[in-house]
Amino acid sequence: MTGLLLGCATQGLTHTELPSFYLPADPDTRLSKYVERVRPADSEASGFTLLHKGSDALAARLKLIDMADNSLDIQYYIYKTDITGGLLTEHLLKAADRGVRVRLLLDDIGSSLEDIKVSLVDQHPNIEVRLYNPLSLRSEWLKMFSKLGEFGRINYRMHNKLIVADNRAIITGGRNIGDEYFALSDVDFQDVDVIGIGPIAEPASDSFDNFWNSGIAIPIGAMSEETNAEALADMRARLGSKNRQAEKDPYLKAAAQSPFIQAMNSGNLDWHWGQAKWFYDDPSKSDPHGNGNEVAFLGRSLVEPMKAAQSELLLTSAYFVPREGGENLLLGIRDKGVNISVLTNSLATTDVLAVHSGYAKSRERLLQGGVSMWELRPIAGQQERASPFLGESLASLHAKTFVFDRKAVFVGSVNLDSRSVKLNTEAGVYIEQPDIAQEMVDLFERWTSEDFAYHVTLNEDDDLQWQAEGRTWTTEPAASRFRRFMSWTLGWLPLDGQL
């Protein structure tokens, strides 16, 4: 089996892995009719609306799945089997029951799902599941050996996040599938997705096909033990019971009546129409022996509008490790008179200490060069999030957005770090539309307000300081001594190329 998988992962499609392609948009589907009804007359533009509230983001995903008539193509780095994962899976099964073709592509290491759970879903005749760049050893207790022995290959991951429904609507952005991405856990990720309708769906579908047929995406059936219809029925029953219980949760009740759902159902959803481009890394980036290995396909696409900015860049990146090359890029743009503002995680809110260690090396030089910087507070927007549904939760930034001159935006999966640029595959949408750009400006300004973020500056002695709500800190605020020590220690390790 190990030899078979290594062959599949490195030599392309075999006779057992037939390629498949997106289904052309059908004018008679509900989504096609909806797009025709809401788009401006004689317009070839795509429509977009932001999803920055967790309840809206969850509701939008369920809505698209429920509206699909022909096809659903779904691509995620992380797909958990918690409340949100269970809800989406049940809705996907119901879509497949009514004849929708479902293709589900998951990163093997990011999702870390048990093969038996994934293969059960794959048993449905209208659902096919593939794992991207999978480990060869599939036993749970052998996977660690596989990670060590195959590090040179499996270090390349698929970080994309995408849903395409009927080749007419997409959702992309920073969110994976898991409770923490939708404000349903004790960690509240500050994140942004965008839902798009119209022509933008076709290039997104085309990129999905490239990954699906890459040869690095292996059918779960080639790796897992065979299951049967009875096992699938048992899983449905468990999902149904679990989700019926979850539906009693006040938060999920609120999500079912979220502003997004109410506006879409009433026909009053505010779509912003404009030209858009789909940016993505080719899957050849993941082939350590291929011509595209570590080529910054998406990174090159983003550098162009960054360099073209004339007045302002607003950059939000959960993981921000620019290193010397990124520093030079940003400072070069700043030298042309462009105001640059960056929001990232603080030491207290990051979920990867090594990333913060890499980022900390760049702070002083960027600040000295005139870049404005903010770091998220662990109690970011606590008053705004307080509700009778959820207790207090610690915040962490997970969004990846760019705003160019308040005229265009990029929303996607890419962080400003070496891992995103060179190792992971990433994807997202570049939108030229001033209204949605202004929405992103408003969100950035809220996230960098004193209630959400520390303003990082240099004092008169060129030492770092953090300021918020009239207070000033001279060491990393809200971070324990142990956390500060570990971050300092990790900063000495040669990890920058992996961050």
Side-chain angles (χ1 to χ4, degrees):
M1 177 62 76
T2 299
L4 169 64
L5 292 178
L6 288 173
C8 291
T10 58
Q11 297 176 12
L13 293 171
T14 71
H15 68 281
T16 60
E17 300 166 27
L18 297 177
S20 64
F21 302 95
Y22 70 83
L23 302 179
D26 182 343
D28 292 327
T29 63
R30 284 173 292 172
L31 277 169
S32 288
K33 291 177 180 178
Y34 175 82
V35 173
E36 291 303 313
R37 187 165 65 250
V38 299
R39 75 177 181 180
D42 301 322
S43 174
E44 295 301 321
S46 297
F48 298 93
T49 190
L50 290 179
L51 302 167
H52 59 83
K53 292 183 178 179
S55 57
D56 282 345
L58 177 58
R61 284 164 169 79
L62 297 176
K63 183 68 173 178
L64 278 198
I65 292 171
D66 291 346
M67 287 186 71
D69 290 322
N70 286 346
S71 64
L72 285 162
D73 291 331
I74 300 173
Q75 183 178 16
Y76 275 101
Y77 174 62
I78 293 174
Y79 193 116
K80 295 188 175 181
T81 56
D82 51 15
I83 294 174
T84 52
L87 281 171
L88 260 69
T89 301
E90 186 179 32
H91 283 250
L92 287 174
L93 286 166
K94 290 180 179 178
D97 288 344
R98 62 177 185 266
V100 177
R101 187 193 70 174
V102 178
R103 296 188 296 175
L104 181 60
L105 178 58
L106 304 177
D107 186 84
D108 185 40
I109 291 180
S111 292
S112 296
L113 295 172
E114 294 179 39
D115 287 354
I116 187 65
K117 293 181 179 180
V118 182
S119 60
L120 282 174
V121 177
D122 187 69
Q123 282 294 304
H124 196 293
N126 288 328
I127 299 179
E128 186 178 358
V129 184
R130 294 187 179 184
L131 299 182
Y132 191 80
N133 201 13
L135 297 169
S136 294
L137 302 178
R138 303 310 301 172
S139 170
E140 291 302 313
W141 65 277
L142 286 176
K143 282 187 175 182
M144 183 55 66
F145 294 101
S146 197
K147 289 178 181 180
L148 293 173
E150 300 179 286
F151 181 79
R153 175 176 66 84
I154 58 92
N155 192 33
Y156 300 92
R157 306 315 316 167
M158 182 191 75
H159 198 238
N160 310 39
K161 297 105 163 89
L162 174 65
I163 294 179
V164 187
D166 284 345
N167 199 32
R168 295 300 283 160
I170 70 168
I171 295 177
T172 193
R175 288 184 177 91
N176 292 294
I177 303 303
D179 289 350
E180 60 268 37
Y181 301 97
F182 302 94
L184 266 171
S185 74
D186 56 1
V187 176
D188 182 17
F189 281 135
Q190 308 295 300
D191 218 330
V192 180
D193 292 319
V194 65
I195 181 170
I197 58 175
I200 190 59
E202 189 156 339
S205 293
D206 190 56
S207 76
F208 181 92
D209 280 356
N210 284 346
F211 278 86
W212 186 258
N213 299 316
S214 65
I216 308 175
I218 310 301
I220 185 63
M223 295 177 281
S224 179
E225 296 179 5
E226 290 188 9
T227 57
N228 53 50
E230 184 177 348
L232 176 60
D234 289 343
M235 187 194 74
R236 282 178 179 269
R238 291 194 301 272
L239 273 178
S241 176
K242 180 180 177 182
N243 292 339
R244 295 299 80 74
Q245 291 178 346
E247 284 176 355
K248 298 176 183 178
D249 186 287
Y251 174 85
L252 291 182
K253 288 182 179 179
Q257 296 297 322
S258 73
F260 170 85
I261 287 296
Q262 293 186 29
M264 189 164 183
N265 288 344
S266 65
N268 295 322
L269 192 61
D270 189 14
W271 293 101
H272 302 296
W273 298 89
Q275 298 302 313
K277 299 176 183 177
W278 182 252
F279 290 168
Y280 75 101
D281 286 313
D282 191 270
S284 62
K285 184 181 180 182
S286 299
D287 184 352
H289 307 296
N291 293 331
N293 179 240
E294 297 192 5
V295 173
F297 296 97
L298 190 154
R300 292 174 178 176
S301 298
L302 279 176
V303 165
E304 183 178 342
M306 289 176 70
K307 287 184 173 180
Q310 298 181 348
S311 60
E312 183 184 60
L313 280 177
L314 304 180
L315 310 177
T316 303
S317 181
Y319 304 144
F320 180 60
V321 189
R323 304 178 70 193
E324 185 177 0
E327 293 170 13
N328 292 341
L329 171 65
L330 293 176
L331 293 176
I333 296 170
R334 180 72 189 97
D335 286 344
K336 295 190 300 182
V338 177
N339 293 320
I340 302 176
S341 297
V342 177
L343 171 64
T344 190
N345 274 301
S346 65
L347 178 57
T349 61
T350 186
D351 59 344
V352 183
L353 287 177
V355 167
H356 187 84
S357 301
Y359 149 67
K361 299 174 183 178
S362 297
R363 278 187 299 207
E364 291 186 29
R365 185 184 177 206
L366 291 175
L367 289 169
Q368 289 168 351
V371 175
S372 299
M373 300 184 69
W374 284 265
E375 295 176 5
L376 195 76
R377 300 177 64 187
I379 57 169
Q382 189 68 63
Q383 296 301 318
E384 182 178 291
R385 295 200 313 274
S387 77
F389 307 143
L390 299 171
E392 290 190 356
S393 55
L394 295 179
S396 184
L397 185 69
H398 198 259
K400 310 96 168 49
T401 64
F402 303 67
V403 185
F404 310 92
D405 290 335
R406 306 197 175 200
K407 297 177 182 178
V409 303
F410 174 83
V411 180
S413 66
V414 61
N415 290 293
L416 291 171
D417 62 8
S418 294
R419 174 155 285 279
S420 280
V421 172
K422 287 191 172 183
L423 300 178
N424 291 342
T425 65
E426 309 283 357
V429 61
Y430 175 80
I431 308 167
E432 296 175 316
Q433 216 288 334
D435 292 331
I436 205 163
Q438 186 58 51
E439 278 193 38
M440 282 301 312
V441 170
D442 294 343
L443 184 60
F444 187 90
E445 290 177 346
R446 184 161 89 249
W447 279 353
T448 54
S449 68
E450 292 189 338
D451 186 40
F452 276 81
Y454 304 110
H455 190 193
V456 186
T457 59
L458 297 173
N459 63 19
E460 61 274 11
D461 297 320
D462 263 1
D463 293 326
L464 287 168
Q465 61 182 13
W466 292 258
Q467 296 173 308
E469 296 183 331
R471 295 185 60 188
T472 300
W473 294 263
T474 56
T475 57
E476 308 265 10
S480 67
R481 289 182 180 178
F482 177 75
R483 199 168 176 85
R484 291 198 296 268
F485 172 75
M486 287 302 300
S487 178
W488 175 82
T489 301
L490 289 168
W492 287 96
L493 299 179
L495 299 174
D496 285 359
Q498 298 296 316
L499 303 176

